[in-house]
Amino acid sequence: MYDNPKHIKDHRVNARFNDDEIEAIAHVAGLTGLQKSTLVRQATLRFIEELKAELKGEFDRDYTNLKDAG
């Protein structure tokens, strides 16, 4: 199924959104053709990459392999 077992997405994070926020997420998901969960996951990983670039050296672990692996 996966070439690399590290790519298995086994951990879940729950988040709560108000009506306006979930409506915006649903709208963007519809525009992009993504599922809401995929959109939120990709946005989160992109945000982490941006923070990592801003906070050079603040991350004590190598998170360079955060791209969606499948």
Side-chain angles (χ1 to χ4, degrees):
M1 184 162 139
Y2 287 95
D3 291 338
N4 184 339
K6 284 184 131 188
H7 294 163
I8 296 172
K9 295 170 188 80
D10 232 5
H11 305 281
R12 170 178 241 156
V13 175
N14 293 320
R16 295 187 181 273
F17 300 96
N18 66 30
D19 290 342
D20 292 336
E21 294 164 342
I22 200 67
E23 185 179 329
I25 291 168
H27 180 70
V28 174
L31 290 173
T32 61
L34 296 171
Q35 293 180 4
K36 290 182 288 190
S37 59
T38 301
L39 174 72
V40 172
R41 183 176 188 280
Q42 288 180 356
T44 301
L45 294 177
R46 180 179 290 179
F47 180 67
I48 290 169
E49 287 298 319
E50 290 171 3
L51 277 178
K52 195 174 121 185
E54 259 183 60
L55 304 172
K56 299 174 193 129
E58 298 280 333
F59 281 74
D60 58 353
R61 182 174 168 197
D62 183 13
Y63 292 102
T64 55
N65 196 17
L66 287 179
K67 302 290 183 248
D68 219 358

